[in-house]
Amino acid sequence: MTKVALSGASGNIGQVLRPALIKLGFGLRSAGGRRALTPLTPEEEVCHGDMRDAAFVDRLLAGVDVLIHMAGTSVERPLPEVIENNLRGLHSVYEGARRHGVRRIVFASSNHAVGMHSVATKLDLDCDLRPDGFYGLSKVWGEAMTRMYWDKHGIEGISLRIGTAIERPTEFRHLSTWLGNDDLVQLITRCIVAPDIGYLIAWGVSANTRSYWNNAGAIRLGYQPVQNSEDYVAEILRQPNPLDPVAQRYQGGGFVTIDYTPPEQRPPRIGA
Ligand code: 15L
């Protein structure tokens, strides 16, 4: 039986994955952050702690085949916090993966690693990395680290650029970014069981008609999304778009306009 460790198990995505992975028959060890978790079944192992603590990482990863790494800061925050949780924390857990012979890491990257791309552009997986803040920048670090641990240490890695993982889309941007719960579970399952992956990047997105992203790369995983935000379009178009006009222009939406310098306040271009 494949032994799976799930970090960030008390977060929004973790709460969907825990019962689903147990039901699918994986041996699961779930890790929370500050608060202790209660096992959902007698078989589920639980732990909680700080990813920067090597002793905690050892408890999380001993005997594990696949780490689903969802822990860390998941929104835009001041740089020192992002560095601690998403850069130092990630390094600590990846070193733990080396110590314990973990075979594959599934890294929760984010669309915010490319959030400064225009909503008018459909992106392929080899698009330029254009983070929309310190959080997105930390995901660029994470993707590169996941690649490095495959190249240098032979730990298979999958960087999932997750869109908006919620039960149902609720606003205009979600028509492009939504990842429904059923597709999320299918995607993570494929990330655990798909053979001979080496390293790859995939968009964590449903089969949305208006997707910003071309997910052809996910074919290697065997991921075939079945949910489509268009099913909710009538309801969403009845509501005003909550994003301001600048945020509406970029794939990262509201993350873009946090600490944003408007064009009229930017230095003039050389030679312009
Ligand atoms: C993310 O990366 C965040 O973790 C999540 O809270 C959402 O903001 C999501 O992206 C999104 O872009 O909708």
Side-chain angles (χ1 to χ4, degrees):
M1 182 204 288
T2 307
K3 182 81 181 180
V4 175
L6 173 67
S7 72
S10 48
N12 292 342
I13 291 181
Q15 285 177 39
V16 174
L17 291 180
R18 268 177 84 191
L21 294 179
I22 291 170
K23 203 166 157 201
L24 286 162
F26 296 110
L28 186 65
R29 184 175 301 144
S30 298
R34 286 197 197 90
R35 274 190 300 275
L37 300 172
T38 308
L40 297 179
T41 62
E43 291 76 33
E44 186 191 22
E45 298 171 32
V46 294
C47 54
H48 70 286
D50 189 320
M51 291 295 159
R52 292 165 297 180
D53 172 3
F56 166 63
V57 170
D58 284 339
R59 287 200 297 284
L60 174 65
L61 295 181
V64 160
D65 299 300
V66 179
L67 166 66
I68 312 291
H69 187 62
M70 294 285 163
T73 295
S74 62
V75 290
E76 185 62 0
R77 296 290 298 161
L79 184 59
E81 179 183 327
V82 172
I83 287 175
E84 286 306 311
N85 291 338
N86 292 10
L87 275 61
R88 283 196 52 210
L90 199 73
H91 174 248
S92 168
V93 82
Y94 279 38
E95 282 300 300
R98 279 180 75 187
R99 286 196 297 281
H100 290 280
V102 171
R103 298 160 70 182
R104 181 176 289 179
I105 297 174
V106 181
F107 169 63
S109 183
S110 166
N111 72 91
H112 296 287
V114 295
M116 294 305 297
H117 281 280
S118 161
V119 294
T121 312
K122 186 136 184 172
L123 299 180
D124 289 317
L125 286 164
D126 60 356
C127 66
D128 284 346
L129 293 163
R130 296 178 71 176
D132 57 26
F134 297 130
Y135 165 66
L137 196 54
S138 77
K139 296 302 183 182
V140 173
W141 160 277
E143 288 191 12
M145 186 172 260
T146 309
R147 166 106 234 186
M148 188 184 98
Y149 275 69
W150 163 242
D151 288 339
K152 279 193 78 166
H153 308 303
I155 301 174
E156 288 193 296
I158 301 170
S159 294
L160 289 181
R161 289 190 189 144
I162 300 172
T164 306
I166 50 177
E167 194 175 350
R168 52 191 292 162
T170 57
E171 61 179 78
F172 187 78
R173 175 173 173 271
H174 299 166
L175 292 174
S176 304
T177 61
W178 185 52
L179 172 61
N181 288 348
D182 292 349
D183 285 342
L184 166 68
V185 170
Q186 188 207 140
L187 176 61
I188 296 298
T189 306
R190 294 309 308 163
C191 286
I192 296 169
V193 303
D196 199 13
I197 286 301
Y199 175 77
L200 69 72
I201 307 173
W203 303 104
V205 67
S206 282
N208 305 325
T209 306
R210 305 177 195 219
S211 178
Y212 297 147
W213 310 307
N214 172 5
N215 213 358
I219 289 170
R220 262 182 71 200
L221 279 175
Y223 170 56
Q224 292 181 321
V226 294
Q227 295 178 283
N228 186 338
S229 54
E230 214 62 16
D231 292 342
Y232 301 87
V233 71
E235 181 185 320
I236 287 174
L237 292 183
R238 270 198 298 274
Q239 303 156 24
N241 189 330
L243 298 179
D244 68 47
V246 175
Q248 286 184 34
R249 295 212 305 267
Y250 294 98
Q251 296 194 0
F255 283 49
V256 168
T257 45
I258 300 171
D259 193 25
Y260 172 83
T261 305
E264 62 279 9
Q265 290 172 25
R266 298 181 182 192
R269 291 192 195 184
I270 306 279

